[in-house]
Amino acid sequence: EAQVTQNPRYLITVTGKKLTVTCSQNMNHEYMSWYRQDPGLGLRQIYYSMNVEVTDKGDVPEGYKVSRKEKRNFPLILESPSPNQTSLYFCASSNQGFEKLFFGSGTQLSVL
Amino acid sequence: AQSVTQLGSHVSVSEGALVLLRCNYSSSVPPYLFWYVQYPNQGLQLLLKYTSAATLVKGINGFEAEFKKSETSFHLTKPSAHMSDAAEYFCAVSRSNFGNEKLTFGTGTRLTIIP
């Protein structure tokens, strides 16, 4: 089954404790992206990757890091999480161009 | 810069009634436009997309949207609402010379269906 898998589904952490949210896709997609969803703000892009070792900033990259060492994986790293990073995070992937985005089920992060 | 504005963060319609969710876009170049749906506790799914072919676009689950350049609009409609349509709907815009990497989402409209 074609899918984007994010882990964990829920995460509660404390300020300053490094964390990683994993994202994996099994569709051999070149493009992958991270979004955060906040009430009243919709989805905002954090980082995206056009292919292995190619990443670029989205609209709200501050406080986040990503890496794309393999085509299927695109982890999101918060080196020193802060409460304003409490949000619902989505990973997505697609082929190049305007093929549809496939979304993961989301990771609800709470930073205390 | 490109953007979309979704009018109405919450819309309620009766089962069987017309669904109309509004989206207006702003783009300095010809846009590509999308509607995505998010069911509770799930990620987003593509409903339909406009990429400069036919201005009336038909999507899944009986939804359609019409691109109107003169009104800079891309409203989503469905003739008869079903209880299963209850979800949050997002309009999104991308510049025609980029792919999904420059996709900008609206703030969403939560659709409630009244039995």
Side-chain angles (χ1 to χ4, degrees), chain A residues 13 20 24 28 34 46-48 54 57 60 72 83-84 107 111:
Chain A
T13 190
T20 300
S24 179
N28 201 37
W34 277 102
I46 303 170
Y47 269 95
Y48 65 93
V54 180
K57 295 178 180 179
V60 289
R72 63 182 292 123
N84 65 11
T107 296
V111 183

Side-chain angles (χ1 to χ4, degrees), chain A residues 34 43 75 77 80 99 104-105 109:
Chain A
W34 277 102
L43 274 80
I77 303 156
S80 183
E99 298 298 319
S105 298
L109 171 65

